[in-house]
Amino acid sequence: MTKPVLYLFGSAAPPVFDIADAVTNAQNRGFDVCLGLTPTATRWLAPQLARLERLTGHPVRSEYKMPGTPDVWPMANVIAVAPATFNTVNSWALGLTHDFVVGVVAEAIGKQIPTVTMPCVNAAYVQHRQFERGIRELREMGVQVLYGEGGFQPNQPGRGSPSEYPWHLVLDAALEMHDG
C-alpha cells in the first residue's frame, strides 16, 4: 500500500528552521513528504538541504522544472503551505506565480488538490488591507486557511516565538483533508 503524498511548502518565516521536525511529524502520520521552499527559505536552509533530502527521500524543490522533463515528485494527495509569509499569501491570492511554491499551489486550486495553509505574519503586516483580502480570497477558492481563532495568531513585530508555531494544526488539517 502506498503512502499518501503530502507536498509541504515553506516560506521564509522563522518557523521554517523547524521544518525537519514538521517533516518527521508528517511522516509519523503516514505521509510520504515532498518538501518545497520559496527561494529565500531555500537560502536560509541551504546548510540543511542535503539532510532534508535524505529525510524525505525526494529532492527539495524551489524552482520550476524544465518543460518536457519528468517530474521528480509523485503526484500530491494533499498540500500544506506553512509557514506562509505575507508575500506568499498575497502572491497566491493574486495569482502571481513568480516562484515554484506559489505556482504549484495556485494550480492546485484548479486541480482540486486539497490544500491547507497557515500564515506566519506579524501584527504590522496584517494591518495592510491586502492581507485580509488575500486570506478571504484563498478561503473562497477552497483553501483551508488556519488563521485567527483556531489557527495562527499574529504577534507584535520582533516578538514572535518560532518554537511556538503550531505545526500540529496544519498537519492535523492535512491528515483530515486526506482521510475525510
Side-chain angles (χ1 to χ4, degrees), residues 1 10 14 26 34 37-38 47 61 79 83 87 94 97 127 135 146 151 159 163:
M1 180 176 201
C34 295
L37 301 168
T38 62
R61 293 185 61 192
I79 298 174
N87 186 54
L94 293 169
T97 59
Q127 297 306 307
I135 294 293
L146 303 174
R159 296 208 180 124
S163 64

Side-chain angles (χ1 to χ4, degrees), residues 18-77:
D18 296 324
I19 207 155
D21 292 337
V23 167
T24 299
N25 191 337
Q27 290 170 329
N28 290 339
R29 292 164 187 253
F31 284 112
D32 177 11
V33 181
C34 295
L35 181 61
L37 301 168
T38 62
T40 302
T42 301
R43 283 193 304 279
W44 286 9
L45 296 179
Q48 298 179 41
L49 293 179
R51 183 178 72 117
L52 290 166
E53 288 186 353
R54 284 190 304 277
L55 180 62
T56 63
H58 301 284
V60 175
R61 293 185 61 192
S62 62
E63 296 181 9
Y64 290 108
K65 67 181 186 68
M66 292 295 294
T69 59
D71 203 331
V72 294
W73 285 356
M75 294 291 295
N77 296 102

Side-chain angles (χ1 to χ4, degrees), residues 12 17 26 69 101 105 113 148 156-157 160 173:
F17 287 107
T69 59
V101 165
V105 295
I113 300 170
Q156 290 304 311

